[in-house]
Amino acid sequence: MSQAKRIYEYICRSKNQAADAALRLAVVRAEEPYKSVIMEAVLERGNSQAVSELVEEFHELSDAKQQLVLGRAGDLYGGLRRAAGSMDNLTRLNVLSIISRSGQLRLAGLVGQMLGGRHYEVARQGGNVFLEMARQVLEKNKQYANREVAVSGCFDGQCSGNAVDGDQRYLEEALAEALGSYDRHRRQEVILASMYLVPADREDFWGGILRSPGEVERVVRQLMVQVEDPELADFCLSALKYPLLRLTAVRAISTHCRRDFVVSLARGFSRRSDEQINDSLRLVDNPAWLTPESLPLQKCHETDQLSMVDFVSSLGVSRGQ
């Protein structure tokens, strides 16, 4: 064994902070193939200052070295947290890039911490990362529902599709905190991501925000009308329970004509129908989508057709339609 290799292995085994300082210096000065090996040692040890310095130059790393960092992202909280608090905006953008590309929902709290700064691009990217994370959870839940179909034989319109696990709870906690500081960052993506994931009647999440007039409540109403994504169907149905949101939800249900949105409404109705929702749905009169052109039932799964009949029957549709 060469003397250099002995020294390297000793440094990697050492718990002395001086070893981390030596590795930080070495990773800057080393050439390949040694640089990648030293980077792996830095990531393995997880020293927050050393990791933070790697994050600072993340945008300059080769694809292979970036993959090394991304593969360890879930274990680098201390270093990423330190970098997220940097005054350098490029470093903070690197943190968001690492979180986004690694798909680590457990790092969602760091995203929320970076929303309130003065740098527009950092806040904008942070909002987009929250949306990406919400879609990641929705896709995971969709896959979970499909597995239920395979095991139980029920169609996914009837399966729960709800795999709320620890990772999703990390995201929901980060979104709840970001909602609480909305007046500071004003990122509507935070509200939209929350609406994707959490129905309006989840009081443990929304608290009293949707029961009294305010900026978040105003943006919620605005997004219900403007965004026709099928992921918002459950939120629109649950919003029928709240006086301040009811008429806006009725408008959204009446006017959004995307077939997947309407099908999602029917599926959601089959799961969450109750007296409050049923009473409010009678306000939906002559919905724009209730035409053969907008809603070709022959293209829907048979179970969706049945759900659609039940849903339409609950509406206050004029006779003859």
Side-chain angles (χ1 to χ4, degrees), residues 154-179:
C154 70
F155 181 64
D156 63 358
Q158 304 298 325
C159 291
S160 67
N162 184 15
V164 179
D165 56 16
D167 284 350
Q168 179 169 341
R169 280 190 284 272
Y170 279 110
L171 177 55
E172 288 189 5
E173 288 171 4
L175 286 170
E177 188 170 342
L179 280 177

Side-chain angles (χ1 to χ4, degrees), residues 185-235:
H185 56 75
R186 301 277 176 160
R187 298 309 311 176
Q188 292 190 6
E189 299 92 341
V190 170
I191 298 178
L192 183 57
S194 300
M195 294 167 70
Y196 276 167
L197 291 180
V198 188
D201 55 355
R202 271 272 308 275
E203 292 283 347
D204 63 305
F205 179 86
W206 294 99
I209 293 178
L210 303 180
R211 293 188 178 278
S212 57
E215 187 62 16
V216 171
E217 176 267 340
R218 183 191 68 79
V219 175
V220 164
R221 287 188 289 106
Q222 174 184 314
L223 291 173
M224 274 198 289
V225 173
Q226 292 180 347
V227 180
E228 206 166 343
D229 295 344
E231 294 84 1
L232 285 187
D234 258 16
F235 187 90

